[in-house]
Each structure stands twice: as C-alpha cells, then as structure tokens.
C-alpha cells in the first residue's frame, strides 16, 4: 500500500518561498508521476503540477511560473517550491500519485495534507 | 482551462436514499472523468475513474456514468458513512481541474 506524507512549515510570510516535501513509502517512486495539489479554505481543489521519474514536469499556468517540483529518488521524496507567496496561497497542500496508466488520469494515493498559512 | 460544474452544490438525504450528483464539463472529456469522496479533515479518496470504473475497495452502491460533457455519480442506497463532499475531476486536458463539490448531508 503506497503511503505519502507531507512535511514543511505551517506558517510562512508574504513574499517568501514555501518549501514542502512529500515522502513516499510502500512503493517505488520510480516510473511514476507525482503531483502536488492544494485546497483553499473555501474548499476548491487546485492541481499545482506533476513530476515524472525522468524529471519531466508539468505545471498549472495559473501559478505563473512560481512553482518548481523536484524529485529525489534516493530518498523516495519529491518536493514543492512556491515563490512570492500571498494570502491567496493559504491552503491545505496535498501530495498525491498521479495515475495515468491505461487511461486513468486521476489521483489514486494522497497524503494526509499539510495546512499552510501565509501571514506576517 | 476546462470548467467543471457540479450540481447540486449540496443535497439533503436520508440513509437508504438514492442520490445522484451531476458534473458537466465545458469541453468534451471523452471518458476521462474521476470522482472523489472527501470527509472533513481528510484527503480526497478516489471512488471512480474513467467515468464508470470503480476503484478497488469502493462499495458497489457507488456507480458512475456518462461521457463527453455530462457525467453522473450515483449512490444507490446512502449509508451513514457516505455523508461527505464529492468532487469530479477531468483528466482530458492540462491543467487538470475539479468541480466545485457536492456536499451530501443529512
């Protein structure tokens, strides 16, 4: 059973950079797609981006180049960096496995989520 | 971006009721549509993918149908543990997008 766990700060200041890490257990991080998503206080879910084993990434254009997702297979981790934070980035951040085999194109395993508040 | 519209936004139901949730897409998705269940304080859980395929371990009272721009999630006989918020998600085009959610409450 694949398990994911997010880690990182719960409070960050405006204009600073958010760094989150997701640790994957119970399965190989290789040859898979790994994603970050977030859920605003109002409940809306937003896909942030994904990374594949090869280092290929795909980001949501709505985040206007503020996002970087990286992978560390040796630690079975992948990470999110989000720059120039504003209050609008306050959300629960989830890491998830993006399942795209056999025409699935969905998220089958999720982390528990980590709440991030952007405030001075 | 593909806009996903769910309705109703909330529904009041009782144990044993049949509940139908609709999701409409602003463009043709073929069958690349997934449904999730989310309970308060927890992550979304995948219920259905490819419009109608039940994820392993999901009870058979859940079913999905549709293609193109119109999809439905049906709970045939609502159980106490089914009171939650349900989201649809399109997998046809990047960026991947979600519906606004349907809250199923007592």
């Amino acid at each position: 059973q694949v398990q994911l766990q997010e880690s990182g700060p719960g409070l960050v200041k405006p204009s600073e950079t958010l760094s989150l890490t997701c640790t994957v257990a119970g399965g190989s991080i290789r040859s898979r797609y790994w994603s970050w998503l977030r859920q605003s206080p109002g409940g809306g879910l937003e896909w942030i981006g994904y990374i594949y084993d090869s280092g290929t990434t795909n980001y949501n254009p709505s985040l206007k180049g503020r996002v970087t997702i990286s992978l560390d297979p040796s630690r079975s981790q992948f990470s999110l960096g989000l720059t120039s934070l504003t209050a609008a980035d306050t959300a629960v951040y989830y890491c998830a496995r993006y399942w795209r085999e056999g025409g699935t194109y969905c998220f089958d395993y999720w982390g528990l989520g980590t709440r991030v508040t952007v405030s001075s | 971006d593909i806009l996903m519209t769910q309705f109703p936004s909330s529904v009041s139901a009782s144990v044993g009721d049949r509940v139908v949730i609709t999701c409409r897409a602003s463009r043709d998705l073929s069958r690349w549509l997934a449904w999730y269940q989310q309970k308060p304080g927890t992550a979304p859980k995948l219920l259905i993918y490819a419009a109608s395929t039940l994820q392993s371990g999901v009870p058979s009272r859940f079913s999905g149908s549709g293609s193109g721009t119109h999809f439905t999630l049906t709970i045939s006989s609502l159980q106490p543990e089914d009171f939650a918020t349900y989201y649809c998600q399109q997998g046809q085009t990047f960026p991947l997008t979600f519906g606004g959610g349907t809250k199923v409450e007592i």
Side-chain angles (χ1 to χ4, degrees):
Chain A
Q1 178 80 346
V2 176
Q3 293 182 310
L4 297 91
Q5 177 68 63
E6 305 87 352
S7 58
L11 179 65
V12 286
K13 291 182 169 50
S15 80
E16 292 189 344
T17 296
L18 172 66
S19 295
L20 297 177
T21 297
C22 182
T23 303
V24 179
S28 176
I29 200 169
R30 294 206 175 270
S31 303
R32 298 287 187 182
Y33 291 82
W34 303 97
S35 251
W36 287 97
L37 304 97
R38 66 184 182 179
Q39 187 166 33
S40 66
L45 284 161
E46 181 180 29
W47 171 72
I48 295 172
Y50 75 62
I51 188 165
Y52 183 63
D53 182 26
S54 62
T56 300
T57 54
N58 190 347
Y59 301 135
N60 192 326
S62 71
L63 291 160
K64 296 183 176 66
R66 297 191 294 131
V67 182
T68 302
I69 299 177
S70 59
L71 190 72
D72 186 349
S74 67
R75 296 189 174 188
S76 202
Q77 292 178 335
F78 63 104
S79 299
L80 170 70
L82 184 63
T83 63
S84 304
L85 293 173
T86 70
D89 295 309
T90 293
V92 175
Y93 285 75
Y94 294 100
C95 59
R97 191 174 80 171
Y98 176 46
W99 186 30
R100 55 178 288 171
E101 299 157 7
T104 47
Y105 308 116
C106 57
F107 305 98
D108 58 347
Y109 291 100
W110 295 66
L112 298 176
T114 187
R115 186 174 302 275
V116 174
T117 301
V118 180
S119 175
S120 56
Chain B
D1 298 3
I2 295 180
L3 178 64
M4 305 298 294
T5 304
Q6 277 183 248
F7 51 90
S9 57
S10 67
V11 56
S12 295
S14 301
V15 172
D17 284 354
R18 178 174 175 266
V19 173
V20 179
I21 298 169
T22 298
C23 182
R24 287 195 186 271
S26 61
R27 296 211 301 269
D28 187 348
L29 304 182
S30 182
R31 291 181 61 79
W32 309 134
L33 190 284
W35 289 98
Y36 300 84
Q37 175 194 67
Q38 186 178 33
K39 298 180 181 178
T42 70
K45 171 189 172 184
L46 179 65
L47 297 178
I48 287 169
Y49 60 91
S52 60
T53 304
L54 215 58
Q55 174 68 334
S56 175
V58 174
S60 59
R61 61 181 179 273
F62 291 94
S63 64
S65 65
S67 64
T69 62
H70 185 204
F71 301 85
T72 58
L73 171 69
T74 301
I75 310 172
S76 60
S77 177
L78 201 65
Q79 297 302 300
E81 60 269 30
D82 301 336
F83 291 96
T85 300
Y86 294 84
Y87 295 92
C88 59
Q89 172 247 317
Q90 65 84 12
Q92 167 71 5
T93 304
F94 292 104
L96 306 174
T97 49
F98 291 81
T102 296
K103 186 174 184 179
V104 177
E105 49 196 353
I106 300 173

